[in-house]
Amino acid sequence: VTSRQRICDVKGVPLISSMHEIFGRVEKFQAKADDILIATYPKAGTTWMIEIMDSIRQGGITKEITTIPSHERTPFLELSSMGTLPAGVDLLKDMPSPRLVKTHLPFQLVPQSFWDKGCKVIYVARNAKDILVSYFFFHKITPILPHAGTWDDFFESFLSGNGECVHSDLSSLSVLDDQHHRQDPWSHSALLLLLLLHIDGSFPHPRAPRLKVLISVLLMEIVKHTSFNMMKDNPMTNFSRMPTCIVDVRISPFMRKGQVGDWKNHFTVAQNQRFEEEYRRRMAKTSLRFRTEL
Ligand code: A3P
């Protein structure tokens, strides 16, 4: 039985039909000033960043973190109600502040209230080659997404931008191009790690040394809790608690490899060449450089 959804055009962005249907409510969503938006292209490391941010928000690995699945603690803004999971906009209504909000919407579709309220945004980006591979495997375990076909089919669909790849193709990464980047609020988002190092290094309080030790212990706890192996085995983060009509990890794990450079196991030499050409063309305006291997 398949429940694969149609792809619909929402202001030029291909989204699954249920997101198209709920988009009117998403657009009108009222953000609060202390909301934190975690915005990513799918497969960029959203779940990892959510877990880090929530551990900080809660002041450590609390009972909530260890007993409530990540997708309930950090609602997915544009996801409509499916199975036992309420729509993101409904889950958010009942959440205490400060709320963490997950979105895969490109900049131009983010509800205006986030900008009006001056909300903090964390934008996570990952090299597009590993995203492509990760997204291919994700399609296989996500019954609501279009059929991925073979690796070659998916590669073509992602690169050609023929509207079969949800949340748009490679060109959606142009949200990062210099012209947008200089003007848009993504560029004001703080890098979490820098923020923490700053706190740890220059805490002005007289009890700073003691606080510094406490922060270091907390940091180490969070680093351990959010490591790939821990998150892979943790039912709260590995998507095993997600309704199977949305993501079915019985097919294969959501936490797949968590590596930089896995694309080399999938791209042919010809595909790599084609990818490089297309990437250079579409990302010509950006000065951002991503590492595709370590
Ligand atoms: P792979 O499929 O390459 O393994 P998202 O949460 O945006 O959907 O991204 C999922 C990708 O992030 C998957 O990539 C997943 O394995 C990886 N990931 C999730 N948690 C991670 C962690 N703690 N460390 C490294 N990679 C992680």
Side-chain angles (χ1 to χ4, degrees):
V1 178
T2 176
S3 46
R4 299 198 178 280
Q5 296 186 14
R6 275 180 308 113
I7 299 297
C8 300
D9 179 293
V10 179
K11 302 186 182 181
V13 179
L15 299 181
I16 50 175
S17 55
S18 58
M19 289 180 180
H20 173 248
E21 280 154 26
I22 203 169
F23 193 72
R25 289 185 65 201
V26 172
E27 223 174 2
K28 288 195 216 103
F29 177 76
Q30 286 307 306
K32 297 179 185 170
D34 55 2
D35 284 346
I36 297 175
L37 186 67
I38 299 180
T40 63
Y41 186 83
K43 314 320 289 172
T46 330
T47 317
W48 170 68
M49 183 54 74
I50 283 173
E51 204 56 18
I52 295 173
M53 283 304 298
D54 207 14
S55 304
I56 293 170
R57 174 177 67 160
Q58 313 236 9
I61 315 307
T62 59
K63 188 164 174 240
E64 211 172 330
I65 297 267
T66 54
T67 57
I68 302 176
S70 131
H71 59 266
E72 288 176 26
R73 288 182 267 123
T74 303
F76 185 0
L77 181 66
E78 62 269 27
L79 191 71
S80 60
S81 155
M82 268 179 236
T84 51
L85 188 68
V89 283
D90 290 326
L91 266 178
L92 280 160
K93 268 196 288 195
D94 304 325
M95 280 192 73
S97 291
R99 305 180 295 187
L100 287 179
V101 185
K102 160 182 165 177
T103 189
H104 289 319
L105 293 174
F107 172 70
Q108 70 273 24
L109 294 190
V110 170
Q112 182 61 33
S113 63
F114 281 98
W115 315 132
D116 293 344
K117 295 276 166 58
C119 296
K120 291 198 174 61
V121 177
I122 295 183
Y123 187 83
V124 184
R126 182 184 189 188
N127 82 74
K129 291 183 183 178
D130 281 322
I131 283 204
L132 206 170
V133 172
S134 184
Y135 211 12
F136 172 63
F137 286 100
F138 184 66
H139 273 65
K140 291 179 185 285
I141 63 170
T142 309
I144 51 177
L145 290 178
H147 185 57
T150 63
W151 160 250
D152 290 348
D153 294 340
F154 190 79
F155 181 92
E156 280 311 315
S157 166
F158 187 89
L159 241 68
S160 62
N162 60 9
E164 280 165 29
C165 207
V166 182
H167 282 100
S168 187
D169 56 286
L170 186 66
S171 59
S172 73
L173 292 177
S174 66
V175 76
L176 293 171
D177 75 30
D178 272 354
Q179 201 193 356
H180 280 97
H181 200 66
R182 271 197 296 273
Q183 299 161 359
D184 79 35
W186 292 146
S187 59
H188 300 303
S189 59
L191 266 180
L192 180 71
L193 205 58
L194 292 180
L195 193 69
L196 284 173
L197 288 174
H198 175 72
I199 291 171
D200 198 23
S202 59
F203 214 88
H205 196 277
R207 286 200 306 257
R210 223 178 117 213
L211 282 171
K212 270 170 82 170
V213 172
L214 280 179
I215 288 170
S216 303
V217 170
L218 184 66
L219 257 182
M220 280 165 64
E221 198 180 78
I222 294 174
V223 167
K224 188 169 160 221
H225 174 75
T226 57
S227 68
F228 179 75
N229 287 336
M230 290 290 277
M231 285 185 61
K232 188 177 169 68
D233 292 339
N234 178 356
M236 301 304 138
T237 54
N238 66 13
F239 277 57
S240 56
R241 296 287 173 92
M242 190 63 122
T244 51
C245 60
I246 307 178
V247 176
D248 190 346
V249 295
R250 293 171 306 185
I251 301 170
S252 78
F254 173 90
M255 294 287 171
R256 208 179 51 88
K257 289 196 174 173
Q259 288 170 2
V260 179
D262 183 44
W263 62 272
K264 288 185 193 166
N265 297 316
H266 301 277
F267 280 46
T268 63
V269 172
Q271 281 172 336
N272 191 36
Q273 222 162 24
R274 178 151 143 56
F275 187 98
E276 294 275 342
E277 277 160 25
E278 198 64 30
Y279 190 84
R280 254 196 304 277
R281 197 170 65 74
R282 298 207 201 172
M283 301 289 276
K285 286 194 227 138
T286 184
S287 53
L288 283 168
R289 295 285 171 266
F290 291 87
R291 294 188 71 167
T292 53
E293 52 194 301
L294 291 180

